[in-house]
C-alpha cells in the first residue's frame, strides 16, 4: 500500500488560508476601532464561502505552478539533454553559473560545464523579448485566439489530473473522460491557427494536424473503453486504487503488481501509447510540423512568446499523456512505503506516492524521447493508414477481449 | 432577496448560444461560421453542465466541440475552390 | 482544396542551398513541379577566362563547397590534357587518395542532410561526427577544412604529411566499424526509414539516361556506368574495386539511391586502402606546367554527384580562351519533375534529399 505526501491538498490549503485570513481579520478588527465600517469587511472575510473560493484559487495556482514551472522545465531539460547524449554531444549548458555577475560567473566554473537546467528559462526570456508579428493578411482575431485555446485546453487537463491520491485540484467521477475531452479540443485550435495565418504551409500543416489528431483520438477513446469494461469507473483515483495490490491469476498470487498492463489490457496499452505519441505530436507522428517540407507546419507564422507557448505546451501534453498512461495501465502512483517518519506529528512517508508517480512519468517521457529521436517521421498517408486500418480494428479487438475476460471472470 | 444564480447563468449562456447561432447563419466566411458553431456547441454543453448532467457535457465537448466543427471545416476546405484571401493561385512562369 | 503551387524555397528547410522547387499540389498529391535555379549563379565560366590557368584552381574549389577537391581535380585534368603534360606517378596516387577522401566527406554530408530531411536529426549528428575524421585527414593534406585547395595543374600542392598512411588507416578502420554496426540501425534496419524511402521517386533507366542523370543516381537505376571503370583517369585502372550498382531490379527509388551512396562509402574506403598500399613511397608529386598553352583539353571525371566535365580552350595566352563546365546536378535537376510527379507532398524531401543537390555546382 502506498501513502501520499499530501493527503488532501485542498484541506491543507484551506487550513492555511483560514489561518492567514484569521490573522488578516484580527488586524482589520483592530483597525475597526477608529474606522467602524471595516468591521463588516472583517465579517465578510470570515465567511466560509470566501475562504473556500480563495482556497480554490490558491490550489489552482499551486498546481499550475507545479506543472508549468517545475515539471515543464524538467521534462524539457530531460528531453534536450537526453537526445543530445543520444547524438554524442553535450547538449544544453546554460545554468546558474552562466549568469554574468559576481557570485556566479566564476573563473573556475566556466559556462560550458553547467547542467543546462536554466537553458529553457533563457530561451523563454529570449522569446518574450521578441516581436510578436501578425501577418498582414491574417485573420487577426482567430490568429490570436488559437494559442490561447491550445494552451487553455492543455491546462484544463491538469485541473483534474491527480498527482497522487491527495494532490489534485478537483477529483471528478468522470476524470478520465474530462481529460480526453480536453485533449480533443486541440485539433480545433490547430485548425484555427492553420487557417488564420493565411499561409500555405500553415494551412497544409493545420489540415494534417487536425486529420491526424482526429483519427488518433478514436482508438484512444476505444482503448479507454476497453479499460473501463474492467475498472467500472472513470475516476483516476479509484482506477489506481484497483491496481494497488498483488496480481492474482489462476488462483495463485504472482510477485507482480496488478497493473492493467499485465493481462488482457496489454493490447489496449499498446494502442493507447501509440495514439498518445500521435497526440503529443512527437517524431514518428510529428507530421503537423514536419519541418523539412512545411517549414514549421501550423506554427510557422507565430513569433515571439506566442510561438513559445504553442511550442512549450507540446511538452505539457507529453507530460499529461505520460501521466495518463501510467494512471491507466502502469499503476499510477502505487508503490511501497518503506518507512514513515513523523515530523512534528505529521506523518511523512519515505518514498511517497508523488515520487513513484514522477518516476513513472519521467521514465515514460525518457522512453518517448529515445524513441522519437531514433526513427524518421512517417508520411501523412501512412499515418492515417496506421490509424484507421490498424489501430481502430485492434482497439475494437481490445474491447472484445476485455469484455470476454470480464464475462468469463 | 435571494438571487437565482442558476437562472442568471442560464440566461447568459442562452444569450451566448443565440448570438453564436445567429452568427453561424449570417457569417459570410464559411470557416468562421464553423468556428462560431463550435462556440455554440460548447455553450450547449455548459448548459448541460448546469442541469448537472456531467457525462452528457463531457461527451458534448468530446464529440461536438472537438470533432464536428473540425469535420465541417474539412468539408468546407475540401470542396470550396477558394479559401484563402490572396489572389495569386495561378501557375508561376 | 483547390490545386495550388507551393514554393519550396528559396528560403526553406528542404533546400540545401539557395534554389526554389515549385510544387503544384492537389491536396497532398503532387501534380506538377518546376525547379527554379540561378540564385547562386556566379558566372564561373566567364570569370575563369580572365584568370591564369593555375589561379583558376582557387575558383574551382568553390564550385561545390562540400566536394572541392574533385572539382579542382577535374579542371586540372582538363588543363593538363590541353598542355600535354602528365602528373608524376606519386602525384596521381595522391590525387586518387584525396579524391576518395573527398568523396567520403561529400557522401557523409549528403547522408547527414538526408537524415533531418526525414526527421532523423540523430543521423545528422552521427554523420557529421564521422565526417570530422575525413575533414581532419584532408586538412592534414591541404591545410584547409573547407574549400580545400589541393590539386594543381601538373600535380598536387604538397606531398603527403609524415605518418599520413597510419592516420588514414586508423580513421578508415574506425569509420568502417561505425558503418557496419551503427549506421544500419538508424538507416536500413529501421522500418520507418524504409517506409519513407522505398517506392518513392522512381526513375526508370531510360528516363535517367534521356535526361542526362549520371553518377550514383544513374547507378541506382541499375545502369553500370562509373567513369572510374569505363574511362579510367589517374591510376584507377590499377585498383580493384566494384562500381556500386543497385542490383535488386526495379526502377531506382530513393532507397536505391541511398543504398548506392551508402555502399560507395565502403568502396571508397577500400580504394584508399589499396592506394596506400600500391603507391610509390617517394618520388616527385608535381611537374611545373608551362605558363602559356594553346589547344583544347577535355576531361570528365566521376564526381561525388555524377559526371563532372571540363572543357578548356587555350589560345596561346596564359589564361583560357573558354571554359565549359558540365554540372551533374544541373542535369539531374531537369529530371526532378519526373521524379516528383504523383508522389505525396511529404515525399519531396525524401526524393530531393536522395538525389543530393549541391547548388554551388548547379548554378556555376
Amino acid at each position: 500500500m502506498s501513502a501520499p505526501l499530501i493527503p488532501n491538498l485542498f484541506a491543507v490549503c484551506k487550513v492555511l488560508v483560514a489561518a492567514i485570513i484569521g490573522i488578516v481579520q484580527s488586524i482589520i478588527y483592530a483597525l475597526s476601532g477608529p474606522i467602524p465600517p471595516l468591521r463588516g469587511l472583517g465579517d465578510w472575510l470570515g465567511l466560509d464561502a470566501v475562504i473556500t473560493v480563495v482556497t480554490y484559487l490558491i490550489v489552482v495556482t499551486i498546481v499550475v505552478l507545479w506543472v508549468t514551472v517545475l515539471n515543464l522545465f524538467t521534462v524539457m531539460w530531460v528531453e534536450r539533454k537526453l537526445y543530445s547524449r543520444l547524438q554524442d554531444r553535450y547538449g544544453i549548458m546554460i545554468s546558474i553559473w552562466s549568469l554574468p555577475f559576481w557570485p556566479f560567473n566564476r573563473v573556475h566554473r566556466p559556462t560550458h560545464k553547467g547542467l543546462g537546467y536554466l537553458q529553457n528559462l533563457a530561451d523563454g526570456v529570449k522569446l518574450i523579448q521578441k516581436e510578436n508579428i501578425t501577418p498582414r493578411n491574417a485573420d487577426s482575431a482567430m490568429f490570436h485566439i488559437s494559442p490561447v485555446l491550445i494552451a487553455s485546453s492543455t491546462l484544463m487537463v491538469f485541473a483534474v489530473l491527480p498527482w497522487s491520491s491527495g494532490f489534485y485540484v478537483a477529483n471528478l467521477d468522470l476524470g478520465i473522460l474530462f481529460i480526453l475531452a480536453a485533449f480533443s479540443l486541440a485539433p480545433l485550435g490547430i485548425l484555427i491557427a492553420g487557417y488564420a495565418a493565411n499561409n500555405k504551409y500553415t494551412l497544409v500543416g493545420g489540415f494534417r494536424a487536425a486529420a491526424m489528431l482526429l483519427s488518433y483520438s478514436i482508438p484512444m477513446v476505444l482503448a479507454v473503453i476497453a479499460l473501463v469494461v474492467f475498472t467500472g469507473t472513470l475516476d483516476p483515483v479509484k482506477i489506481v486504487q484497483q491496481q494497488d495490490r498483488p496480481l492474482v491469476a489462476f488462483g495463485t498470487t504472482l510477485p507482480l503488481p496488478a497493473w492493467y498492463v499485465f493481462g488482457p489490457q496489454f493490447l489496449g496499452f499498446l494502442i493507447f501509447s501509440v495514439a498518445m505519441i500521435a497526440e503529443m505530436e512527437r517524431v514518428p507522428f510529428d507530421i503537423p510540423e514536419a519541418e523539412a517540407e512545411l517549414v514549421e507546419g501550423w506554427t510557422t507564422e507565430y513569433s515571439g512568446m506566442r510561438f513559445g507557448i504553442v511550442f512549450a505546451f507540446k511538452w505539457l501534453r507529453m507530460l499529461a499523456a505520460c501521466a495518463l498512461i501510467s494512471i491507466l495501465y502502469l499503476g499510477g502512483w502505487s508503490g511501497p512505503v518503506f518507512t514513515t517518519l513523523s515530523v512534528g506529528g505529521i506523518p511523512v512517508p519515505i518514498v511517497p506516492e508523488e515520487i513513484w508517480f514522477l518516476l513513472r512519468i519521467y521514465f515514460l517521457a525518457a522512453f518517448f524521447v529515445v524513441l522519437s529521436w531514433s526513427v524518421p517521421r512517417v508520411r501523412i498517408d501512412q499515418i492515417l493508414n496506421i490509424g484507421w486500418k490498424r489501430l481502430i480494428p485492434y482497439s475494437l479487438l481490445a474491447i472484445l477481449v476485455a469484455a470476454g475476460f470480464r464475462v468469463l471472470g | 432577496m435571494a438571487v437565482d444564480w442558476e437562472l442568471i447563468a442560464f440566461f447568459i449562456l442562452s444569450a451566448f448560444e443565440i448570438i453564436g447561432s445567429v452568427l453561424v447563419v449570417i457569417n459570410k466566411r464559411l470557416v468562421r461560421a464553423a468556428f462560431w458553431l463550435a462556440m455554440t456547441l460548447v455553450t450547449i454543453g455548459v448548459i448541460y453542465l448546469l442541469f448537472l448532467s456531467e457525462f452528457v457535457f463531457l461527451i458534448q465537448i468530446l464529440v461536438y466541440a472537438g470533432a464536428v466543427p473540425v469535420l465541417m471545416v474539412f468539408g468546407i476546405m475540401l470542396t470550396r475552390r477558394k479559401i484563402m484571401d490572396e489572389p495569386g493561385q495561378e501557375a508561376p512562369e | 482544396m483547390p490545386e495550388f503551387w507551393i514554393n519550396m524555397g528559396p528560403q526553406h528547410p528542404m533546400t540545401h542551398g539557395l534554389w526554389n522547387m515549385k510544387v503544384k499540389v492537389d491536396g497532398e498529391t503532387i501534380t506538377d513541379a518546376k525547379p527554379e535555379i540561378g540564385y547562386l549563379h556566379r558566372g564561373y565560366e566567364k570569370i575563369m577566362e580572365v584568370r591564369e590557368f593555375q589561379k583558376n584552381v582557387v575558383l574551382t574549389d568553390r564550385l561545390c563547397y562540400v566536394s572541392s577537391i574533385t572539382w579542382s581535380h577535374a579542371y586540372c585534368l582538363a588543363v593538363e590534357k590541353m598542355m600535354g603534360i602528365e602528373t608524376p606517378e606519386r602525384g596521381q596516387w595522391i590525387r586518387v587518395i584525396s579524391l576518395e577522401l573527398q568523396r567520403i566527406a561529400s557522401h557523409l554530408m549528403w547522408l547527414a542532410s538526408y537524415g533531418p530531411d526525414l526527421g532523423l536529426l540523430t543521423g545528422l549528428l552521427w554523420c557529421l561526427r564521422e565526417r570530422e575524421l575525413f575533414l581532419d585527414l584532408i586538412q592534414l593534406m591541404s591545410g584547409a577544412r573547407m574549400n580545400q585547395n589541393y590539386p594543381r595543374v601538373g600535380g598536387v600542392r604538397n606531398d603527403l604529411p609524415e605518418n599520413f598512411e597510419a592516420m588514414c588507416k586508423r580513421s578508415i578502420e574506425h569509420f568502417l566499424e561505425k558503418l557496419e554496426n551503427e549506421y544500419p540501425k538508424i538507416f536500413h534496419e529501421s522500418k520507418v526509414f524504409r517506409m519513407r524511402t522505398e517506392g518513392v521517386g522512381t526513375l526508370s533507366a531510360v528516363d535517367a539516361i534521356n535526361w542526362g542523370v549520371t553518377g550514383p543516381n544513374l547507378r541506382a537505376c541499375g545502369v553500370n556506368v562509373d567513369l572510374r571503370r569505363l574511362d579510367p583517369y589517374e591510376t584507377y585502372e590499377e585498383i580493384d574495386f566494384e562500381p556500386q550498382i543497385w542490383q535488386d531490379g526495379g526502377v531506382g527509388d530513393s532507397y536505391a539511391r541511398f543504398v548506392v551512396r551508402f555502399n560507395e562509402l565502403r568502396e571508397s574506403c577500400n580504394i584508399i586502402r589499396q592506394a596506400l598500399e600500391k603507391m610509390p613511397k617517394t618520388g616527385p608529386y608535381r611537374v611545373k606546367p608551362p605558363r602559356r598553352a594553346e589547344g583544347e583539353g577535355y576531361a570528365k571525371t566521376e564526381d561525388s554527384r555524377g559526371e563532372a566535365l571540363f572543357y578548356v580552350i587555350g589560345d596561346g595566352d596564359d589564361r583560357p580562351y573558354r571554359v565549359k563546365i558540365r554540372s551533374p546536378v544541373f542535369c539531374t535537376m531537369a529530371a526532378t519533375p519526373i521524379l516528383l510527379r504523383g508522389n505525396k507532398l511529404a515525399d519531396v524531401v525524401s526524393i530531393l534529399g536522395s538525389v543530393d543537390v549541391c547548388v554551388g555546382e548547379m548554378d556555376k
Side-chain angles (χ1 to χ4, degrees), chain C residues 19-80:
Chain C
W19 60 292
N20 187 0
M21 189 81 216
K22 287 182 171 160
V23 178
K24 192 181 192 184
V25 290
D26 176 13
E28 287 270 342
T29 312
I30 297 165
T31 54
D32 202 357
K34 273 182 188 168
E36 193 180 275
I37 63 170
Y39 290 93
L40 210 61
H41 181 59
R42 290 151 292 172
Y44 259 82
E45 294 170 355
K46 205 69 191 166
I47 300 174
M48 287 168 85
E49 288 172 16
V50 298
R51 286 169 175 256
E52 291 164 22
F53 288 117
Q54 194 69 276
K55 288 182 182 171
N56 275 334
V57 181
V58 183
L59 279 179
T60 49
D61 292 338
R62 273 101 177 133
L63 258 176
C64 176
Y65 34 78
V66 290
S67 184
S68 303
I69 293 179
T70 53
W71 279 96
S72 308
H73 167 255
Y75 169 73
C76 292
L77 211 59
V79 175
E80 281 161 19

Side-chain angles (χ1 to χ4, degrees), chain A residues 87-312:
Chain A
Q87 294 168 349
D88 254 12
R89 58 196 176 95
Y90 289 111
I92 50 180
M93 286 177 192
I94 300 267
S95 68
I96 191 105
W97 303 107
S98 313
L99 292 177
F101 40 82
W102 169 64
F104 304 114
N105 189 15
R106 280 185 275 161
V107 180
H108 59 280
R109 284 304 295 259
T111 51
H112 63 270
K113 281 191 180 161
L115 268 180
Y117 194 79
L118 291 189
Q119 174 82 50
N120 294 311
L121 192 67
D123 288 350
V125 170
K126 181 199 76 176
L127 282 175
I128 287 175
Q129 292 170 359
K130 294 213 160 204
E131 186 188 355
N132 261 328
I133 301 167
T134 310
R136 190 186 295 153
N137 285 331
D139 194 333
S140 177
M142 281 158 75
F143 186 72
H144 292 177
I145 280 174
S146 122
V148 179
L149 193 63
I150 292 164
S152 56
S153 72
T154 309
L155 277 181
M156 259 163 68
V157 171
F158 293 96
V160 295
L161 187 79
W163 292 84
S164 79
S165 55
F167 188 8
Y168 48 76
V169 178
N171 187 26
L172 301 184
D173 289 342
L174 300 168
I176 301 291
L177 195 63
F178 188 95
I179 292 172
L180 296 182
F183 259 109
S184 80
L185 276 180
L188 188 63
I190 290 172
L191 205 56
I192 291 177
Y195 161 77
N198 200 22
N199 176 323
K200 288 167 186 168
Y201 300 132
T202 59
L203 187 69
V204 177
F207 261 106
R208 288 181 174 183
M212 190 184 89
L213 296 182
L214 211 58
S215 54
Y216 275 74
S217 50
I218 298 169
M220 180 177 85
V221 173
L222 288 179
V224 171
I225 288 174
L227 186 80
V228 170
V229 170
F230 258 64
T231 60
T233 175
L234 280 166
D235 182 349
V237 176
K238 280 185 191 147
I239 290 177
V240 173
Q241 265 172 13
Q242 290 170 356
Q243 301 178 57
D244 196 1
R245 56 185 166 80
L247 184 65
V248 179
F250 311 115
T252 51
T253 307
L254 300 174
L256 277 176
W259 298 351
Y260 282 118
V261 65
F262 306 123
Q265 290 297 334
F266 185 70
L267 186 60
F269 166 71
L270 290 182
I271 292 161
F272 192 77
S273 306
V274 173
M276 272 298 165
I277 296 173
E279 292 283 325
M280 291 184 242
E281 297 174 18
R282 293 197 65 79
V283 154
F285 302 131
D286 83 327
I287 280 303
E289 76 267 353
E291 81 270 1
E293 65 257 26
L294 301 174
V295 189
E296 264 297 322
W298 57 275
T299 57
T300 304
E301 290 288 357
Y302 286 108
S303 56
M305 201 55 210
R306 227 174 272 144
F307 171 75
I309 284 177
V310 292
F311 201 66

Side-chain angles (χ1 to χ4, degrees), chain A residues 1-7 164-166 244 333-340 347-356:
Chain A
M1 289 303 285
S2 54
L5 187 66
I6 302 162
S164 79
S165 55
D244 196 1
W333 44 79
S334 62
V337 179
F338 294 109
T339 49
T340 305
V348 177
I350 294 301
V351 197
E353 287 175 350
E354 285 83 357
I355 300 287
W356 286 117

Side-chain angles (χ1 to χ4, degrees), chain C residues 78-84 293-298 311-315:
Chain C
V79 175
E80 281 161 19
K81 279 188 182 171
M82 181 189 74
M83 291 173 170
E294 191 170 1
E296 294 180 7
Y298 162 85
Y311 183 57
V312 185
I313 303 178
D315 59 351

Side-chain angles (χ1 to χ4, degrees), chain C residues 292-295 314-319:
Chain C
R292 292 162 203 280
E294 191 170 1
D315 59 351
D317 202 353
D318 58 354
R319 49 205 71 186

Side-chain angles (χ1 to χ4, degrees), chain C residues 80-151:
Chain C
E80 281 161 19
K81 279 188 182 171
M82 181 189 74
M83 291 173 170
I85 56 173
E86 196 171 345
T87 317
E89 203 196 346
R90 183 169 159 84
Q92 294 196 7
W93 282 108
I94 294 176
R95 277 184 173 183
V96 167
I97 293 171
S98 67
L99 287 176
E100 294 304 321
L101 284 176
Q102 184 71 77
R103 191 187 311 277
I104 295 174
S106 167
H107 278 358
L108 277 176
M109 190 65 227
W110 158 78
L111 195 58
S113 59
Y114 196 36
D117 278 351
L118 298 175
L120 184 63
L121 204 64
T122 310
L124 172 93
L125 285 137
W126 284 11
C127 294
L128 289 185
R129 181 185 70 192
E130 260 70 68
R131 183 171 179 259
E132 209 66 7
L133 296 173
F134 293 96
L135 282 189
D136 285 349
L137 289 175
I138 296 173
Q139 190 183 3
L140 280 174
M141 296 165 81
S142 67
R145 281 171 56 82
M146 202 175 168
N147 295 332
Q148 298 94 349
N149 180 11
Y150 193 53

